[in-house]
Amino acid sequence: MNPLESLFNPKSISLIGAAHTEAKFGGIILKNLLRFKGKVYPVNPNYTHLMGLKAYPSVEELPESVDLSIIIRPALEVPEILKAHKDKAKCVIIISSGFAEIGEKDRQDEILHIARELNIRILGPNCIGIYNPYQRLDTLFLSYERLKRPKKGNIAVVSQSGAILSCLFGAIRKANIGLSRAIHYGNAVDIDESDIYEYLANNDETRVVISYIESVREGRKFIDRARLLSEKKPLLILKSGKSSRGQVAAYSHTGRLAGRYEVFHSILRQFHIKEVEDFDELMDAAKAISYQKPSPGQRVLILTNGGGSGVLAADECMRQKLEVTPLPEKSLKILKPLFPSFCVLNNPLDLTAHARDEDYLTALHELKEDYDGFVVISLTGVTGITERFIDLLKDFKISTPKPIVSHIAYDSISRKLTLLLEKIGIPVYPSPERAVRGLKALLNPSPC
Amino acid sequence: MVFLEHEVKRLLKEAGISVPKGLFVSKEKAEQLSTIVDLSYPLVAKVSSTKISSKSNVQGVRIGLKNACELKKAVTELLQIKDAEGVLLEEMAPQGLEVIVGGIEDELFGPVVMFGLGGIFVELFKDVAFALAPLTEEEALWLIQQVKGYQLLEGYRGRPSVDKDTLLKIIVTISTFIATGLIKEIDLNPIALYPEGAMVLDAKMLVNAQIGNLRPNNSNTNSP
């Protein structure tokens, strides 16, 4: 069993520093823990009961040893609290700050030393912990009123920043996708991103991993675990701090050019670990791979009922090094008699404002074998597009494992179509370009 | 601990990497210059010092020396540069496509090898790529394909293509050097690539202090 199982799937939890009111972080966490499916033991010497749960005066007096203990007490008290956990917990989340991030490295080393002696794993310190919707486990000191949680899903978020983690919650909800796990590991005195990758590689509820990184602790271990993880499921890395350039005093030219980020970026490429440019690309890609499975190839068919939208999509394909190859001769011969003469039988294939639901499907089925991925653009301001569009696309999707993404514009029935499309597993994007960027995450763009 | 250029080049030569035919003249032996006969003009003369990291910054390079008279003048001037320990004389190499191959001990990833196209491509466009060392030849090929100017190696606008096999061998060799963990930084800059073969025109190396005593004592020549 992976030692992190007691962190992500505990049966019992104690909360050291539980409070009676949501005015305190210890109260918010306790309230969030009331949803947890297992046992919760609040620890606070001043209360016999907290939020309806029996409270305990100290760690020593807990009725049983727990899988996970959450500590939210001032940093100075943490070493003693940790010592009290001897044989009382398998893993602790130290939410408290006041360690290496403010220069108190000795204090941080001390807690690691204690934990190693007691054979306890640490997440944190200086972290907001984890969210596992499958167990309704939530250690975040952010209330549900202020920060809504995403639904259950297949994306795991591994973040070095608590702020970015909370921003991703909003973005994931907006993208209509769901979470399997969310982890903020803070100072990573013990458990770091590599350990988490190792756990997620074998976690069945997780199909996609997105990871926000500012710095890595051990380069080679990180590469090794990231590589093993990305061989099993898509891993998207968003690195910040790209512009800082270290090593300016290097002796050699090579050394001067080796800013931290340049080396990081190159080595990710060397091991085929996917890196995204920015937050938006992270979300567009995560959405696509949360909905669909990646597939080889790079030839894209753009199908639209609005010329301009198709051209924007084609431009983005070029930028993303995806091929927008012309329609094959044999298909042209078949399609020509089926469409009005003013349709532009090219790629993008513009069905024009006269397009009806079944026109899309005629084209898609005819061209299914000649392309590796499909961008379906539909402007719903015209009358030819109806809800039947969804049923027809569903049939098409069942007929091929190839990726399909969509951009649905205008307001009339677009919101409803969007919901229905995503229900059948086709991600919908707010612009033609973003739809293409989503598709790129599912295909293999040309390397040159 | 810094090696002198001719010492690095001898190491490279022993590893099968071509360097210009040359001769190191120490400050003490400078008077014997007239007896040097086995280098053919034109020559290039470069100041040599473990304390000088950029020769061009101290005007420490003379190129296109056509005869003994020009050579003597150049050597005399170069030896007057502060910290000069000697002068490296080398036969001028033909023009080629210039690239850089380097290795560093990265703080985070450990031994890392670098490839870039020389001149403005590196200076202006920072068009370089890195990889974890050591590399296989296949991985070295991947590395050189990562730079935007890769096409120049394949031959572009009438230029001939360069000897990629030799380049890959150089990268693999440097990657194994840096992977030993003994070297902090190594820089072959530039390497002239030709349709057949390649020549390392300048080389620098910084090694870990504890292995500094590996520096060769018998260091008066890197010619055959």
Side-chain angles (χ1 to χ4, degrees):
Chain A
M1 189 178 91
N2 188 302
L4 268 53
E5 206 62 52
S6 57
L7 171 68
F8 288 109
N9 271 320
K11 304 277 173 289
S12 53
I13 298 178
S14 61
L15 174 62
I16 322 303
H20 70 290
T21 161
E22 285 183 78
K24 294 184 171 184
F25 284 174
I28 298 173
I29 298 173
L30 182 58
K31 188 172 177 202
N32 294 344
L33 286 178
L34 294 178
R35 299 166 186 249
F36 174 58
K37 284 180 174 171
K39 286 184 199 148
V40 179
Y41 302 110
V43 173
N44 184 326
N46 303 322
Y47 295 88
T48 57
H49 287 84
L50 284 168
M51 297 191 186
L53 293 174
K54 179 170 163 38
Y56 296 82
S58 68
V59 177
E60 286 91 341
E61 281 163 84
L62 287 174
E64 60 168 339
S65 79
V66 292
D67 290 324
L68 175 65
S69 187
I70 303 159
I71 301 174
I72 177 155
R73 291 293 303 159
L76 277 172
E77 294 177 22
V78 172
E80 286 309 312
I81 292 173
L82 209 48
K83 281 179 195 160
H85 276 88
K86 183 174 171 9
D87 300 324
K88 283 287 182 194
K90 295 195 183 90
C91 186
V92 298
I93 300 177
I94 301 177
I95 297 190
S96 324
S97 47
F99 293 89
E101 82 282 2
I102 58 158
E104 296 286 351
K105 185 154 186 314
D106 289 349
R107 190 181 295 154
Q108 186 158 307
D109 291 344
E110 187 191 356
I111 58 168
L112 179 63
H113 183 73
I114 297 167
R116 288 267 151 88
E117 292 257 293
L118 302 181
N119 198 21
I120 294 173
R121 301 297 306 264
I122 300 180
L123 184 72
N126 186 30
C127 74
I128 63 174
I130 59 175
Y131 175 61
N132 172 3
Y134 286 83
Q135 243 198 334
R136 285 191 268 147
L137 167 62
D138 190 331
T139 76
L140 277 51
F141 54 75
L142 302 158
S143 72
Y144 278 63
E145 290 73 37
R146 285 300 174 110
L147 182 76
K148 290 202 169 65
R149 306 314 199 241
K151 62 187 178 189
K152 231 187 252 183
N154 56 19
I155 297 186
V157 175
V158 183
S159 179
Q160 196 171 358
S161 153
I164 296 301
L165 185 82
S166 66
C167 294
L168 281 166
F169 273 24
I172 284 168
R173 276 165 39 79
K174 201 166 171 217
N176 192 20
I177 47 184
L179 275 179
S180 62
R181 301 284 185 277
I183 307 102
H184 170 224
Y185 52 92
N187 295 6
V189 63
D190 174 22
I191 296 168
D192 63 11
E193 69 291 322
S194 307
D195 300 318
I196 299 165
Y197 294 166
E198 193 176 11
Y199 166 81
L200 292 173
N202 296 312
N203 174 244
D204 293 337
E205 281 141 4
T206 299
R207 228 191 62 209
V208 184
V209 179
I210 64 184
S211 185
Y212 169 82
I213 287 174
E214 284 163 10
S215 60
V216 173
R217 212 171 47 160
E218 292 174 66
R220 297 239 170 184
K221 179 182 166 198
F222 161 75
I223 290 295
D224 184 55
R225 303 295 151 82
R227 197 172 47 81
L228 289 175
L229 171 59
S230 58
E231 275 166 14
K232 289 195 168 182
K233 47 192 87 170
L235 165 67
L236 301 173
I237 300 220
L238 174 60
K239 171 85 169 70
S240 69
K242 297 177 190 181
S243 45
S244 67
R245 300 179 62 91
Q247 307 185 7
V248 278
Y251 166 78
S252 71
H253 204 78
T254 300
R256 280 197 294 277
L257 289 162
R260 275 285 184 87
Y261 175 65
E262 284 75 7
V263 175
F264 185 90
H265 170 73
S266 284
I267 291 174
L268 285 191
R269 286 182 65 125
Q270 183 185 357
F271 294 100
H272 308 288
I273 301 162
K274 267 194 188 156
E275 191 191 357
V276 293
E277 280 277 316
D278 54 31
F279 192 95
D280 293 336
E281 190 187 339
L282 179 70
M283 284 314 304
D284 290 343
K287 179 167 183 171
I289 47 189
S290 172
Y291 274 101
Q292 292 182 15
K293 293 224 163 73
S295 163
Q298 60 196 50
R299 293 165 305 170
V300 174
L301 175 71
I302 300 165
L303 197 52
T304 181
N305 64 347
S309 303
V311 181
L312 287 177
D315 285 348
E316 188 61 29
C317 283
M318 295 295 108
R319 282 192 287 271
Q320 300 296 341
K321 301 182 167 61
L322 294 166
E323 285 178 29
V324 186
T325 47
L327 305 192
E329 278 301 322
K330 60 166 179 55
S331 303
L332 274 179
K333 274 194 197 124
I334 295 168
L335 291 175
K336 220 165 204 164
L338 302 176
F339 290 108
S341 59
F342 48 77
C343 279
V344 185
L345 295 180
N346 209 324
N347 191 7
L349 204 173
D350 182 8
L351 301 168
T352 77
H354 292 266
R356 296 157 306 152
D357 302 325
E358 51 269 31
D359 295 335
Y360 277 87
L361 273 302
T362 308
L364 281 172
H365 281 291
E366 172 56 35
L367 296 162
K368 190 160 71 176
E369 300 307 325
D370 298 299
Y371 293 91
D372 307 306
F374 305 89
V375 180
V376 176
I377 296 172
S378 182
L379 315 185
T380 59
V382 296
T383 48
I385 305 298
T386 71
E387 280 179 35
R388 212 163 76 84
F389 187 62
I390 309 298
D391 296 327
L392 294 171
L393 268 182
K394 190 176 176 182
D395 291 341
F396 175 70
K397 188 168 176 290
I398 290 165
S399 76
T400 174
K402 294 178 179 178
I404 312 159
V405 298
S406 182
H407 160 58
I408 307 285
Y410 298 157
D411 233 347
S412 59
I413 59 164
S414 64
R415 240 175 274 170
K416 186 153 194 200
L417 286 187
T418 297
L419 282 176
L420 291 170
L421 271 176
E422 295 192 336
K423 210 167 203 172
I424 63 164
I426 297 177
V428 181
Y429 289 89
S431 75
E433 290 95 333
R434 291 181 64 177
V436 169
R437 289 201 285 268
L439 184 62
K440 185 194 78 165
L442 296 163
L443 296 175
N444 300 324
S446 134
C448 300
Chain B
M1 167 86 217
V2 176
F3 275 41
L4 288 172
E5 183 179 350
H6 71 281
E7 295 166 341
V8 186
K9 283 184 168 167
R10 192 167 62 185
L11 194 69
L12 295 175
K13 203 173 151 138
E14 278 164 12
I17 297 173
S18 298
V19 297
K21 193 174 173 193
L23 174 70
F24 175 71
V25 182
S26 69
K27 209 161 186 170
E28 296 74 37
K29 293 186 179 164
E31 302 83 51
Q32 299 164 17
L33 200 57
S34 51
T35 65
I36 300 158
V37 280
D38 64 337
L39 294 183
S40 22
Y41 292 97
L43 295 181
V44 54
K46 301 190 256 188
V47 66
S48 227
S49 167
T50 54
K51 295 197 178 106
I52 298 173
S53 66
S54 170
K55 289 186 278 284
S56 50
N57 282 0
V58 294
Q59 276 89 49
V61 183
R62 302 287 184 279
I63 59 164
L65 306 170
K66 290 189 289 292
N67 51 50
C69 185
E70 287 184 16
L71 175 63
K72 194 162 175 31
K73 181 168 176 284
V75 170
T76 310
E77 283 172 14
L78 291 174
L79 288 175
Q80 279 162 14
I81 292 173
K82 187 174 176 289
D83 296 325
E85 290 172 47
V87 174
L88 175 61
L89 307 177
E90 287 181 336
E91 292 182 355
M92 291 280 286
Q95 283 260 321
L97 181 69
E98 294 193 343
V99 299
I100 302 178
V101 173
I104 48 160
E105 182 82 46
D106 184 74
E107 268 178 56
L108 188 58
F109 292 103
V112 162
V113 62
M114 177 271 233
F115 172 75
L117 292 167
I120 59 162
F121 293 100
V122 161
E123 296 290 345
L124 196 58
F125 303 122
K126 308 266 181 273
D127 186 15
V128 295
F130 297 84
L132 285 192
L135 296 184
T136 62
E137 258 186 53
E138 214 175 16
E139 291 165 324
L141 177 62
W142 172 87
L143 179 68
I144 65 173
Q145 286 168 342
Q146 297 310 299
V147 301
K148 294 189 192 74
Y150 171 73
Q151 262 196 303
L152 288 172
L153 302 177
E154 299 269 20
Y156 190 69
R157 293 216 168 180
R159 284 167 179 254
S161 63
V162 299
D163 186 343
K164 271 194 292 183
D165 289 342
T166 299
L167 172 62
L168 298 183
K169 286 202 179 76
I170 295 174
I171 294 172
V172 169
T173 305
I174 294 306
S175 84
T176 54
F177 277 15
I178 193 79
T180 60
L182 303 174
I183 299 170
K184 282 174 109 76
E185 295 184 30
I186 183 166
D187 215 21
L188 315 190
N189 175 21
I191 303 169
L193 301 181
Y194 308 114
E196 268 177 52
M199 188 91 83
V200 176
L201 303 188
D202 201 347
K204 279 191 210 173
M205 190 165 81
L206 187 66
V207 300
N208 286 325
Q210 62 269 31
I211 60 131
N213 56 9
L214 291 184
R215 188 177 160 192
N217 319 316
N218 176 22
S219 56
N220 57 346
T221 179
N222 67 335
S223 59

